Amino acid sequence: MSLPRKKSVTFLSLIITSGILAACGTGASWVDGVPTPSAGVDQSTKTSSIFSFPRLGIPGFGNRQNTGLPAEEQQCRIALKRMGVTFQDIPRIYDNASCGIEHPVEVSALARGVALKPAAKLNCQAALAMAQWLQRDAGPTARSRYLSGIAEIRQMSSYSCRQIARTDKWSEHSKGNAVDIGSFKLKNGRVIKVAKPAFFAWREKSFLKSVRGQACDRFGTVLGPGDRDHHDHFHFDIRQRSKTYCSM
């Protein structure tokens, strides 16, 4: 059965119009009455939705940027930041085959409001041990005995390319593993020197004895202030030992 003439024309018009719109929508051109793809259109690529957006390369998103630090060093720095330690990464230190720090940090505060002066050059693990000792041991001990927190720790030596006195062995200072503590300044202004206190300075003696004993639970070596090489300071280092060497 044939369609009425009017309906046939209308149907044919719809077909032609659809073809034109399809050609326009795909960037096609007409050759000999047949729509063909326009030059430069890659037909192998699927047409994107009008709601599609280009992928943006935003720094800090997506894959973690390579910092050049081993995972252990990255985790150590994250721990320092969480504890409120003020530090900065500094260039690799290399003085000779026995002296240097591969990934050193310079620490200027062991906690928020607790300065380390002068700033100490250490490896990150030594810096973390110092911060833990200060925040969990020495700080609370100062508050309990003096009703005042610690404002500042004076250090006498951090990284130093030297040997242990009167030996041919290299000091832990030469690896950034050690720090020497000379005094504590409290928030109330009082200064407590590590040098052997006066005979009747009971509270100072008690404080120094406590913080030194606490250090023996955190460091591989704790020395001073009872010998000629450490008569005026504590020496703390993180050398790995089967048993902590804790000597006056």
Side-chain angles (χ1 to χ4, degrees):
M1 180 179 69
S2 61
L3 294 172
R5 180 178 180 82
K6 185 176 181 180
K7 289 185 178 181
S8 297
V9 172
T10 302
F11 183 72
L12 182 59
S13 298
L14 288 173
I15 293 175
I16 294 172
T17 302
S18 298
I20 294 172
L21 290 175
C24 293
T26 58
S29 60
W30 288 76
V31 177
D32 295 333
V34 180
T36 59
S38 298
V41 177
D42 184 359
Q43 296 301 304
S44 64
T45 303
K46 294 183 178 179
T47 304
S48 298
S49 164
I50 61 172
F51 299 105
S52 298
F53 295 94
R55 297 179 63 184
L56 301 177
I58 304 175
F61 291 87
N63 294 332
R64 182 179 295 179
Q65 294 180 341
N66 181 14
T67 63
L69 291 172
E72 180 182 7
E73 293 289 333
Q74 294 185 43
Q75 290 302 314
C76 181
R77 283 156 175 76
I78 291 172
L80 289 180
K81 290 177 181 178
R82 287 175 177 169
M83 296 185 74
V85 176
T86 302
F87 71 96
Q88 63 177 343
D89 287 294
I90 57 177
R92 174 181 181 244
I93 298 173
Y94 181 86
D95 288 320
N96 59 46
S98 300
C99 291
I101 311 175
E102 190 68 23
H103 305 290
V105 294
E106 187 173 67
V107 182
S108 56
L110 290 171
R112 293 179 180 88
V114 185
L116 179 61
K117 293 186 177 180
K121 295 178 181 178
L122 299 165
N123 67 47
C124 188
Q125 290 71 30
L128 183 59
M130 282 294 298
Q132 292 170 338
W133 168 76
L134 178 280
Q135 295 188 29
R136 300 172 185 175
D137 301 326
T141 299
R143 288 190 292 271
S144 66
R145 282 172 170 73
Y146 292 96
L147 302 180
S148 176
I150 296 173
E152 178 185 306
I153 289 181
R154 296 290 299 187
Q155 63 94 4
M156 297 172 64
S157 179
S158 54
Y159 170 77
S160 178
C161 185
R162 68 173 189 259
Q163 294 177 321
I164 299 173
R166 298 174 299 282
T167 75
D168 59 357
K169 296 181 179 179
W170 288 96
S171 167
E172 291 300 305
H173 286 282
S174 68
K175 306 171 187 176
N177 282 344
V179 63
D180 292 342
I181 302 299
S183 66
F184 303 83
K185 183 178 181 180
L186 305 184
K187 293 185 183 296
N188 62 13
R190 184 177 189 131
V191 175
I192 304 170
K193 295 182 179 180
V194 175
K196 194 172 182 179
F199 183 78
F200 292 106
W202 306 115
R203 190 158 52 167
E204 288 186 11
K205 287 181 178 179
S206 175
F207 170 75
L208 293 173
K209 182 179 180 180
S210 292
V211 298
R212 185 185 180 285
Q214 292 159 344
C216 290
D217 294 329
R218 294 197 181 276
F219 297 92
T221 309
V222 176
L223 301 172
D227 63 78
R228 64 174 176 170
D229 293 325
H230 308 90
H231 68 281
D232 60 353
H233 65 273
F234 291 137
H235 167 95
F236 300 155
D237 72 53
I238 60 169
R239 178 180 174 181
Q240 294 295 315
R241 299 176 181 272
S242 57
K243 184 179 180 181
T244 299
Y245 186 77
C246 191
S247 175
M248 292 294 288

